[in-house]
Amino acid sequence: MNISHIEHLGIAVENLEEAIAYYEQVLGMKCYSIEEVVDQKVKTAFFLVGHTKIELLESTSPDGPIGKFIAKKGQGIHHIAFAVDNTTEALKTVEERGVTLIDKTSRKGAEGLEIGFLHPKSTLGVLTELCSQPK
């Protein structure tokens, strides 16, 4: 498994429009993409900072992962995503190393990436995402 860089930081927000306004008007960044990922019950907005992205995540349903996260912990950093060569292979590797997986195989995420999550109980409390370009 080869981690090449931090692909993005995921930040859970209650209101995507208000959060985009903050990042654009206060921080001077530019949102380059807004996308809904229906099966994950989330709407996303992306900003590029150097080679790393910020992904804002607004729940489209209270029972979605982001809705549950915000209800329990409030807005804030949700996960860190690392870029790998092959998400499914990387998931197998970390599982062999004793990490509990949320996703046993990769699935489609925002921006067409192949993604897979590692359980925070196995990653020092940090929800960790592995992602790669589809092959």
Side-chain angles (χ1 to χ4, degrees):
M1 178 177 72
N2 178 37
I3 293 176
S4 60
H5 62 280
I6 295 173
E7 210 289 329
H8 67 268
L9 296 174
I11 301 173
V13 300
E14 292 176 353
N15 184 300
L16 196 59
E17 288 182 21
E18 289 177 6
I20 290 170
Y22 168 76
Y23 279 83
E24 289 187 334
Q25 296 169 14
V26 176
L27 299 179
M29 299 167 69
K30 178 70 176 140
C31 177
Y32 71 84
S33 176
I34 297 173
E35 175 183 352
E36 184 171 347
V37 183
V38 176
D39 65 323
Q40 294 177 35
K41 300 179 182 179
V42 69
K43 190 172 179 183
T44 66
F46 284 93
F47 298 82
L48 189 60
V49 182
H51 296 292
T52 303
K53 299 174 201 165
I54 301 293
E55 177 188 33
L56 303 180
L57 302 142
E58 175 190 72
S59 184
T60 58
S61 174
D63 68 338
I66 298 301
K68 290 177 183 177
F69 177 87
I70 289 176
K72 184 176 180 181
K73 297 185 178 185
Q75 299 185 103
I77 294 177
H78 179 259
H79 67 273
I80 186 168
F82 294 106
V84 295
D85 295 332
N86 181 305
T87 302
T88 298
E89 290 302 315
L91 290 168
K92 288 177 188 173
T93 298
V94 296
E95 185 176 40
E96 289 169 1
R97 294 176 181 171
V99 173
T100 301
L101 304 179
I102 293 173
D103 299 300
K104 294 280 188 185
T105 60
S106 65
R107 56 187 163 102
K108 186 178 179 189
E111 298 194 304
L113 293 175
E114 295 294 321
I115 66 168
F117 282 91
L118 315 181
H119 201 288
K121 289 182 180 176
S122 293
T123 58
L124 306 173
V126 178
L127 180 60
T128 302
E129 178 182 5
L130 303 176
C131 52
S132 61
Q133 293 294 327
K135 300 285 181 193

